[in-house]
Amino acid sequence: MLSNSLIELDRAHLVHPVASYRGHEKLGVRVLKSAKGATVTDMSGHQMIDGFAGLWCVNAGYGHESIVEAAAKQMRELPYATGYFSLGSEAAIRLASELADRSPGDLNHIYFTLGGSDAVDSTVRFIRYYYHSLGTPQKDQFISLEQGYHGSSTVGAGLTALPIFHAGFGLPFDWQHKIPSHYAYRNPVGTDPQAIIASSIAALRAKIEEIGAERVAAFYVEPIQGSGGVLVPPQGWLKAMHEVCKEYDVLLVADEVITGFGRTGPLFACSEDDVIPDFMTTAKGLTSGYVPMGAVFMSDRVYNVIADGAGAAAIGHGYTYSAHPVSAAVGLEVLRLYENGLFENGVKAGARLMAGLHSLADHPLVGDVRGRGMLAAIELVTDKQKKTPLPAAADPSRRIFDRAWDNGLVIRAFGNGVLGYAPPLCCTESEIDAIIERTRMTLDQTLEDPDVRAAMA
């Protein structure tokens, strides 16, 4: 009775993100009730391994009492402190210091936000201010990658290059430009790493020169493209793109909202290519999803130009909940847990996950397996030679998700037949093995889908 009541209340009142409103009303909500470690349980008592860590975010896993206690302690002592008027809290100051100590290069200045989308928005404002301070306000054009994701806010959704975030919203803006993704499995130049890097270099150069280098402000990139289908660039790709940015005096913004905090192995994925960006955005794993928080990392050079440009004037950008003390206290405890075994476990679990997914490559539907650490994907096709995607009639995002759910596994099922994985870093060997076993079961069931069979005939 309670479950039915909640379903009706949800249907009547709660607007869900990135959902078909009418479709959701018809299907109804699945209510999650509890979670521990890497396991989530719904209202009916059905248990599943969360192979996607919520929304790429519960890196530490569920149910850490020390995180709960850190939040409760901060709430008792100081539940809120504004950062306006030169005020602050100890937790936020310490978290900024700890993050700066661990950041690549000279990313020593931390601006806290509520999440990843407003972190991206904040970089746009800071970059505009930076160029105004330099006396070059005409540098106001921004470039990002096709199939990239940089949030769902008005500005960030334009930098995002996924059609669903543009349709009906009048996006992207005319100052937001795109170049092709490095997408190795479907790249026109083939799968050779050096050919892909060369193609991307040529595309970025061409776009900058088309717009005019004197107009281009920044290039936005995820070290691994997440919502575009977990697209992994060749080693050295990010460094090569950074070199082009430096050549044309274009700022590099590394969007590590998904890849940060051990998701790919190291604390930050851009370090794997020895890249020190001008800005870095983070969220998700920053607090392991327990409370909302994001962060913009800003280089010394950029910070000093903005600070000197403003002089005694206030810089008019801020949020009520910037540097929230409870979120900061959680962030500090999460960071402690990461460095006391979770990062190490994540590396081992990530190697096991990738090996397990590669063992599925012989399945008739598996066209590609890709990933790094605890961030991975398999791409399903009906013809391996032609790389034919699953037919739209098979409704991959709904049917595959449903099958996996029934099999005791939560994954990200993209509409094009890509299955995304981002399990908590706390996963045990047996849990990783169960993810693989339940994936194979889901693939076998998908192979029997009449619409899939028809496409393979």
Side-chain angles (χ1 to χ4, degrees):
M1 182 66 70
L2 176 61
S3 179
N4 289 337
S5 173
L6 283 174
I7 291 171
E8 291 309 313
L9 288 173
D10 173 89
R11 184 175 283 127
H13 302 296
L14 183 58
V15 179
H16 286 251
V18 193
S20 162
Y21 294 173
R22 296 305 183 206
H24 176 76
E25 290 169 4
K26 181 179 178 181
L27 291 170
V29 68
R30 288 181 166 110
V31 182
L32 294 174
K33 182 174 176 57
S34 63
K36 183 71 175 177
T39 299
V40 294
T41 305
D42 69 12
M43 287 290 292
S44 72
H46 181 53
Q47 292 190 332
M48 296 144 288
I49 296 175
D50 188 354
F52 206 65
L55 193 66
W56 331 79
C57 58
V58 190
N59 291 13
Y62 299 91
H64 286 282
E65 287 299 324
S66 65
I67 299 176
V68 176
E69 181 52 37
K73 182 174 183 291
Q74 185 62 55
M75 281 185 159
R76 293 186 195 103
E77 291 180 355
L78 182 68
Y80 175 79
T82 181
Y84 284 61
F85 324 126
S86 293
L87 299 177
S89 70
E90 179 179 352
I93 294 166
R94 292 197 181 281
L95 181 59
S97 175
E98 295 292 336
L99 293 175
D101 286 348
R102 293 161 175 76
S103 68
D106 67 341
L107 294 173
N108 291 316
H109 305 274
I110 314 297
Y111 178 79
F112 288 115
T113 65
L114 284 73
S117 290
D118 56 326
V120 169
D121 267 23
S122 294
T123 63
V124 173
R125 299 204 74 197
F126 289 138
I127 289 167
R128 288 271 171 83
Y129 204 103
Y130 169 82
Y131 284 117
H132 277 255
S133 297
L134 287 176
T136 55
Q138 71 275 11
K139 283 178 79 73
D140 60 359
Q141 305 293 298
F142 291 68
I143 301 172
S144 56
L145 280 182
E146 291 174 1
Q147 293 174 260
Y149 183 81
H150 301 289
S152 187
S153 60
T154 298
V155 168
L159 292 169
T160 288
L162 300 171
I164 191 174
F165 292 92
H166 295 170
F169 295 108
L171 295 171
F173 295 114
D174 58 10
W175 49 270
Q176 296 174 320
H177 309 271
K178 310 292 184 293
I179 63 170
S181 168
H182 43 70
Y183 193 2
Y185 184 60
R186 298 185 183 276
N187 199 303
V189 303
T191 59
D192 177 67
Q194 293 310 309
I196 292 171
I197 291 173
S199 177
S200 291
I201 288 173
L204 183 55
R205 285 183 183 277
K207 183 58 71 175
I208 292 172
E209 291 175 5
E210 173 193 331
I211 298 166
E214 73 284 356
R215 297 291 312 282
V216 179
F219 176 54
Y220 282 69
V221 63
E222 304 159 89
I224 293 175
Q225 292 186 283
S227 293
V230 190
L231 307 180
V232 185
Q235 198 72 37
W237 181 92
L238 184 59
K239 189 174 185 67
M241 302 304 273
H242 191 204
E243 292 303 316
V244 175
C245 289
K246 289 190 285 188
E247 177 185 343
Y248 286 95
D249 191 25
V250 170
L251 296 176
L252 177 70
V253 182
D255 187 335
E256 294 241 20
V257 170
I258 289 174
T259 55
F261 299 99
R263 176 54 58 198
T264 69
L267 185 61
F268 301 113
C270 62
S271 65
E272 294 181 285
D273 256 3
D274 195 27
V275 166
I276 301 170
D278 299 288
F279 287 92
M280 185 169 70
T281 57
T282 66
K284 297 190 184 293
L286 173 61
T287 61
S288 191
Y290 279 58
V291 289
M293 193 177 219
V296 174
F297 292 62
M298 189 186 308
S299 70
D300 288 344
R301 173 172 68 99
V302 170
Y303 174 86
N304 287 327
V305 167
I306 292 173
D308 291 341
I315 296 164
H317 180 62
Y319 301 118
T320 299
Y321 299 110
S322 292
H324 195 286
V326 177
S327 296
V330 167
L332 283 167
E333 176 57 20
V334 167
L335 186 59
R336 187 190 71 80
L337 290 173
Y338 286 152
E339 295 181 340
N340 279 270
L342 282 176
F343 279 164
E344 183 181 358
N345 190 76
V347 170
K348 294 176 182 176
R352 195 175 188 90
L353 175 69
M354 291 308 307
L357 292 177
H358 278 292
S359 75
L360 301 175
D362 62 348
H363 193 278
L365 291 179
V366 175
D368 189 37
V369 178
R370 51 184 180 257
R372 190 181 299 161
M374 293 287 263
L375 181 60
I378 56 177
E379 183 162 348
L380 307 186
V381 294
T382 56
D383 187 313
K384 295 194 180 193
Q385 290 299 115
K386 298 178 181 178
K387 302 181 181 179
T388 309
L390 296 191
D395 192 10
S397 63
R398 169 52 55 184
R399 295 185 197 172
I400 294 177
F401 182 88
D402 288 349
R403 293 179 190 117
W405 180 282
D406 291 342
N407 292 332
L409 175 64
V410 179
I411 54 172
R412 176 76 174 267
F414 295 90
N416 58 356
V418 173
L419 310 186
Y421 299 80
L425 306 184
C426 65
C427 279
T428 64
E429 290 185 355
S430 62
E431 286 170 334
I432 294 296
D433 293 346
I435 289 173
I436 303 306
E437 177 188 348
R438 295 172 193 183
T439 294
R440 184 177 284 278
M441 189 185 311
T442 300
L443 295 180
D444 288 343
Q445 292 165 345
T446 300
L447 187 60
E448 297 306 314
D449 186 307
D451 291 304
V452 173
R453 302 298 296 179
M456 298 178 74

